[in-house]
Amino acid sequence: EAGVAQSPRYKIIEKRQSVAFWCNPISGHATLYWYQQILGQGPKLLIQFQNNGVVDDSQLPKDRFSAERLKGVDSTLKIQPAKLEDSAVYLCASSLDMGVSGSSYNEQFFGPGTRLTVL
Amino acid sequence: SQKIEQNSEALNIQEGKTATLTCNYTNYSPAYLQWYRQDPGRGPVFLLLIRENEKEKRKERLKVTFDTTLKQSLFHITASQPADSATYLCALAPGSYIPTFGRGTSLIVHP
C-alpha cells in the first residue's frame, strides 16, 4: 500500500513570497490533516478535512495560510505571504475516518513532510 | 494552560537495556494517549494507543503505562537496539478530538 505522498520535499523562499505544498493521501482515506512542525517541537494541527469539508481550522493563520481539498482526495496548503517564523516542516497525514469510536481507532499515517526555509 | 511535558534532553542508554521515556501533562483530561516514533526527515509513525481506563498496554518490546492520577505516561522499550534510536512523541486527546503532541524526547541507543 502506498503511503502519504508530499511534494516538494524542500523549499527555500524569501519572506513575503508565496509557496504551495501538495499532499496525496492514502487511497480511501476520508480524513486529511496538515500539521506544522517547528524544529524541536511536536507537530501542531493546522487544518483537518473530512472528505472535502473542513472539520477544524482553528489553528490556521487564515490571514496568510489557506488550504483546500478538491474532490476529497489531494490537498494543497498555501502560504501567502510567507514570514520568517513560517520556517518549519509541513506534514500531511491521512486516516480512514476521524476520531475514536467504540473500540476502533483511526490511526493517522504521516507523509515525509516538506521542509520550508524562509529567508 | 494545557501543557504536555517530555524531557528535552536526549536519553542515552546501552544496547540491551530498557529505555523509559516520560510524558507528563497538566490541565488535560485525555480520553486517550498515543506514542509515536519520528526519525530524522520523516513523519511520525504511530506506535501505541492507551485509553484512560487502561493501565498498561504492550506490543512486542514496547510497553506503555497511563496513570491519570499522576497525569503521567511511561513508555518502555525493553532489550533496546541501536535501531530504536529516534525521537519519541506522546500525544493526548480528549474524546474524539485530534491529539495534541508533546515536543518529543530523543533516544540514543549505543552499541
Side-chain angles (χ1 to χ4, degrees), chain A residues 9-10 31 33 35 37 40-45 48 56 91 98-105 107-113 115, chain B residues 6 8 31-32 34 36 38 40-49 51 87 89 93 95-104:
Chain A
R9 290 296 313 277
Y10 306 91
T31 308
Y33 317 80
Y35 288 86
Q37 187 173 23
Q41 298 183 21
K44 182 182 90 171
L45 180 71
Q48 176 192 351
D56 184 350
L91 294 163
M98 66 180 190
V100 179
S101 61
S103 61
S104 70
Y105 164 70
E107 177 184 341
Q108 291 185 61
F109 294 83
F110 284 82
R115 182 175 296 278
Chain B
Q6 292 188 260
S8 58
Y32 63 92
Q34 305 165 49
Y36 288 77
Q38 187 170 25
R42 299 192 168 210
V45 174
F46 172 79
L47 297 175
L48 280 167
L49 176 148
R51 298 175 191 272
T87 296
L89 302 159
S96 61
Y97 292 102
I98 300 303
T100 300
F101 286 82
R103 64 187 301 164

Side-chain angles (χ1 to χ4, degrees), chain B residues 1-108:
Chain B
S1 62
Q2 296 176 324
K3 195 181 290 187
I4 302 170
E5 293 179 347
Q6 292 188 260
N7 198 338
S8 58
E9 287 186 20
L11 176 63
N12 286 271
I13 64 167
Q14 284 299 123
E15 182 176 8
K17 301 291 185 183
T18 296
T20 299
L21 304 173
T22 304
C23 176
N24 295 301
Y25 60 93
T26 55
N27 296 324
Y28 267 102
S29 296
Y32 63 92
L33 184 149
Q34 305 165 49
W35 283 90
Y36 288 77
R37 169 183 173 141
Q38 187 170 25
D39 290 282
R42 299 192 168 210
V45 174
F46 172 79
L47 297 175
L48 280 167
L49 176 148
I50 186 165
R51 298 175 191 272
E52 60 179 336
N53 59 350
E54 297 175 317
K55 297 293 185 188
E56 183 179 297
K57 208 79 168 280
R58 291 176 185 260
K59 179 182 175 182
E60 297 172 351
R61 293 185 296 113
L62 309 180
K63 184 177 87 171
V64 172
T65 62
F66 193 11
D67 189 326
T68 54
T69 301
L70 290 179
K71 297 188 184 297
Q72 180 182 79
S73 175
L74 299 178
F75 177 79
H76 307 272
I77 306 176
T78 58
S80 60
Q81 305 164 2
D84 295 326
S85 298
T87 296
Y88 291 86
L89 302 159
C90 74
L92 282 75
S96 61
Y97 292 102
I98 300 303
T100 300
F101 286 82
R103 64 187 301 164
T105 298
S106 175
L107 171 66
I108 303 169

Side-chain angles (χ1 to χ4, degrees), chain A residues 1-5 23-30 69 73 93-95 109-110:
Chain A
E1 174 182 88
V4 176
C23 173
N24 180 236
I26 292 173
S27 177
H29 280 196
R69 190 182 185 198
V73 181
S94 69
S95 63
F109 294 83
F110 284 82

Side-chain angles (χ1 to χ4, degrees), chain A residues 31-32 80 85 119:
Chain A
T31 308
L32 185 147
Q80 181 180 16
E85 59 260 36
L119 304 175

Side-chain angles (χ1 to χ4, degrees), chain A residues 18-61:
Chain A
S18 302
V19 66
F21 313 125
W22 174 82
C23 173
N24 180 236
I26 292 173
S27 177
H29 280 196
T31 308
L32 185 147
Y33 317 80
W34 282 102
Y35 288 86
Q36 179 194 60
Q37 187 173 23
I38 293 172
L39 187 65
Q41 298 183 21
K44 182 182 90 171
L45 180 71
L46 293 175
I47 189 167
Q48 176 192 351
F49 292 95
Q50 178 76 1
N51 296 310
N52 60 351
V54 175
V55 175
D56 184 350
D57 63 356
S58 57
Q59 297 192 96
L60 186 74

